[in-house]
Amino acid sequence: MKGAGLATTVIAAAALFAASGFAADVDPIIIKGSKFFYKTNGTEFFIKGVAYQKDISSNGTSNGSNKYTDPLTDPAGCRRDIPLLQQLQTNTIRVYAINPDQDHSQCMQMLQDAGIYLIADLSEPVLSINRDSPQWNDQLYTRYTSVVDSLHNYTNVLGFFAGNEVSNNASNTDASVFVKAAVRDMKAYIKRKNYRTIGVGYATNDDASIRTNLADYFNCGPSEASIDFWGYNIYSWCGKSSYHDSGYDVRTEQFSKYSVPAFFAEYGCNTVPPREFTEVQALYGDQMTPVWSGGIVYMYFQEANNYGLVSVSGDTASKLPDFTALSSQLAMVTPSGVNSASYTPTNTQAQNCPATGTDWRAATALPPTPNEELCGCMVKTLNCIAKPGINVTHVSDLFGTVCGLSMGVCDGITANGTTGTYGAYGMCNATEQLSWAFNSYYQKQNANPSACDFNGAATTQASTSASGGCQSLLSQAGSAGTGTVTSAPTGSGSGNGGSSTSTKKSAAGTVTVPSFDFGLLQLGAYVIGATLTGAGMLLL
């Protein structure tokens, strides 16, 4: 697929980029009703986007590897690629994993000079909401806020995705509860930090069994917790399909009354190569532009999945046939929009929240906002804690042991997205939650020394009485840890957008914390398991 005559060297790219001239700060994109607009002149903004990052796991799973390359920390790569993006009329890129500890200023300035905006996912491969064991905890909160901190000051940041294809079938829709909590907390964080208004949304896959419920769920309820925009990863137009055969007509009708902007967060089916991108004519045509705000082609870099527009080798980028096809299609479209001054939104009603049941397992009640201060205060007041340096591979087993030994021990760390039941400490990291459980059992055993051992995984400490702010937080949480803490976190992320530095995450933060919802049968099973593992604890 690579032709020698198509090679684009970094020298030629730099020359083209220089010819584009220097531009002042780009006009921020704002949201009004179900559309995007340029803030100053009110022109409607249609996304002509490209996914711009080498393939990583960003869809609610984790392979244990945190290796990823943030393309916006590579000025040479940006100089090489931005002229090619301009040839595609690109006005938006999507980056799936940002490194908040690195400097983005050079690439962001180049993008700004080229009139290109950024939509950034907030997660990274091993710090994301995992569909199989979903959590919304203090380490994820720190990760997400760090990305916001590192990018908020760039006016060409269009928005953030709080999740990407996390729930992908009916069996794991409970994970959406935790993603929606992340949406709520990032919106609140941006407001509390007095940053300019930047939207927070979600990118979904196109699973027929849940796509309607997903779209309704993230849009329903109070605006403080609902998405600002909806991204749709859709690959149903393959080869020479049509508006009808691809199902675009049905999806357009579905979102015709949606109250926030919707766009294709990924598109470009490759089952019929080379891609001709004939869907571009429909996406930016009169039937779809009243409803959809454009889309993002997947993807820029050629990799094993064969979705690339460009093949990159060192300083050289070579256009592939998909690049030429996409460029030709985009050259033929001029989407027609409205001006914000003359636009009165009619889609003002949020969707109804889907009822929980077999086909939908996400409650409307959301988990508490992660609060590192609360978790830290809690651990200091405990008499029995998880031993520092505990082997993280044993943590999940230890939860199963301690939570099965006595009813109520783990109520304070419950996080059940289906029942909507959450302990105040269910958002703490794994070691902090385990310490709470150990201490709860220890207290139920009247501080019997043998009750704080767990085969060497637990240890006693001299506790500290809570005072001041800690006392207030712990009082809200309650002695059983089942209260509601209304105080907002006082900490922040630590991205490189300012002068702050990164907070290192502990290994235990990546450990799976089971979802606890115990009945008598489960309790009996865990007691048997605890006995077999030699816990040797007394059952109250």
Side-chain angles (χ1 to χ4, degrees):
M1 296 177 70
K2 178 177 178 181
L6 294 176
T8 302
T9 65
V10 71
I11 297 174
L16 178 59
F17 181 67
S20 66
F22 181 83
D25 283 357
V26 294
D27 200 12
I29 302 302
I30 62 171
I31 295 172
K32 181 179 180 181
S34 59
K35 298 181 181 295
F36 293 115
F37 295 96
Y38 288 99
K39 181 178 181 179
T40 301
N41 64 22
T43 301
E44 185 173 354
F45 181 83
F46 291 96
I47 294 171
K48 291 183 178 179
V50 175
Y52 184 67
Q53 187 163 33
K54 294 183 178 179
D55 192 35
I56 63 169
S57 174
S58 59
N59 61 351
T61 61
S62 175
N63 58 14
S65 173
N66 202 35
K67 294 181 179 179
Y68 67 93
T69 300
D70 180 349
L72 302 185
T73 64
D74 178 13
C78 290
R79 292 188 192 95
R80 176 196 64 215
D81 297 332
I82 289 176
L84 294 174
L85 291 169
Q86 288 179 292
Q87 290 181 31
L88 293 171
Q89 302 183 36
T90 303
N91 62 16
T92 306
I93 61 170
R94 178 181 178 184
V95 176
Y96 295 85
I98 294 289
N99 187 337
D101 300 329
Q102 299 298 314
D103 177 42
H104 301 92
S105 60
Q106 292 188 60
C107 281
M108 290 302 292
Q109 183 64 57
M110 294 180 209
L111 291 168
Q112 181 169 271
D113 295 345
I116 297 175
Y117 294 83
L118 168 68
I119 298 177
D121 290 60
L122 294 171
S123 63
E124 64 179 68
V126 298
L127 276 177
S128 62
I129 298 170
N130 189 313
R131 67 170 70 101
D132 297 321
S133 54
Q135 302 175 55
W136 176 233
N137 59 33
D138 53 9
Q139 291 183 316
L140 289 173
Y141 183 90
T142 297
R143 158 67 196 182
Y144 286 29
T145 55
S146 294
V147 175
V148 172
D149 287 342
S150 70
L151 295 175
H152 76 91
N153 55 324
Y154 300 111
T155 58
N156 56 332
V157 173
L158 191 156
F160 301 107
F161 278 132
N164 180 67
E165 300 186 0
V166 178
S167 293
N168 66 352
N169 61 61
S171 71
N172 53 40
T173 51
D174 61 312
S176 290
V177 170
F178 301 89
V179 181
K180 192 167 182 177
V183 171
R184 174 202 63 196
D185 292 343
M186 292 306 99
K187 292 176 66 168
Y189 181 78
I190 290 169
K191 183 177 182 179
R192 188 169 68 252
K193 295 285 285 186
N194 291 317
Y195 294 158
R196 68 176 177 87
T197 302
I198 306 174
V200 181
Y202 177 72
T204 181
N205 71 320
D206 185 32
D207 183 271
S209 66
I210 62 172
R211 59 190 172 199
T212 299
N213 280 338
L214 269 173
D216 290 351
Y217 182 75
F218 278 95
N219 182 244
C220 75
S223 60
E224 294 81 8
S226 60
I227 51 161
D228 295 314
F229 52 79
W230 184 248
Y232 201 179
N233 299 343
I234 181 168
Y235 293 87
S236 61
W237 188 305
C238 300
K240 294 181 178 180
S241 189
S242 68
Y243 180 63
H244 172 73
D245 292 345
S246 65
Y248 278 20
D249 56 342
V250 180
R251 303 284 73 77
T252 299
E253 174 61 27
Q254 176 189 347
F255 284 92
S256 62
K257 299 187 185 304
Y258 213 56
S259 64
V260 299
F263 59 93
F264 288 4
E266 291 176 6
Y267 76 94
C269 171
N270 70 349
T271 60
V272 183
R275 295 185 287 181
E276 297 185 18
F277 291 107
T278 53
E279 66 264 46
V280 166
Q281 304 303 311
L283 181 57
Y284 296 99
D286 293 341
Q287 289 178 299
M288 295 187 69
T289 52
V291 174
W292 300 97
S293 296
I296 299 172
V297 170
Y298 189 83
M299 58 174 297
Y300 184 80
F301 297 97
Q302 174 71 330
E303 296 199 88
N305 59 17
N306 200 35
Y307 278 96
L309 301 173
V310 167
S311 176
V312 173
S313 177
D315 293 336
T316 301
S318 302
K319 300 177 188 177
L320 298 174
D322 284 3
F323 182 103
T324 304
L326 178 62
S327 179
S328 297
Q329 292 290 345
L330 288 169
M332 292 188 285
V333 298
T334 305
S336 177
V338 299
N339 191 278
S340 63
S342 59
Y343 168 63
T344 301
T346 56
N347 302 342
T348 57
Q349 185 69 38
Q351 305 299 305
N352 293 322
C353 293
T356 54
T358 303
D359 297 329
W360 186 254
R361 302 182 181 183
T364 55
L366 303 180
T369 300
N371 191 322
E372 280 190 315
E373 184 181 6
L374 169 64
C375 298
C377 290
M378 175 268 290
V379 172
K380 291 178 183 178
T381 65
L382 305 180
N383 298 114
C384 178
I385 62 171
K387 184 172 291 185
I390 186 174
N391 188 333
V392 297
T393 60
H394 297 157
V395 169
S396 294
D397 291 338
L398 288 166
F399 275 114
T401 298
V402 65
C403 292
L405 287 172
S406 180
M407 294 291 289
V409 166
C410 291
D411 287 354
I413 59 173
T414 294
N416 191 308
T418 299
T419 63
T421 305
Y422 310 102
Y425 304 116
M427 51 72 201
C428 298
N429 69 42
T431 302
E432 292 164 338
Q433 290 189 45
L434 190 59
S435 293
W436 168 266
F438 280 169
N439 190 75
S440 296
Y441 178 75
Y442 180 67
Q443 297 301 327
K444 283 181 175 288
Q445 296 293 327
N446 298 315
N448 186 321
S450 65
C452 186
D453 181 70
F454 291 89
N455 290 331
T459 186
T460 56
Q461 71 168 6
S463 62
T464 302
S465 298
S467 61
C470 276
Q471 186 176 31
S472 174
L473 289 171
L474 295 176
S475 175
Q476 293 175 58
S479 58
T482 55
T484 301
V485 178
T486 58
S487 299
T490 57
S492 67
S494 51
N496 203 24
S499 59
S500 56
T501 57
S502 175
T503 301
K504 299 298 183 182
K505 54 185 177 291
S506 67
T510 61
V511 171
T512 298
V513 179
S515 175
F516 300 111
D517 187 20
F518 286 102
L520 291 176
L521 290 177
Q522 292 96 325
L523 176 61
Y526 272 107
V527 170
I528 293 171
T531 303
L532 293 176
T533 57
M537 299 299 172
L538 299 174
L539 178 63
L540 288 180

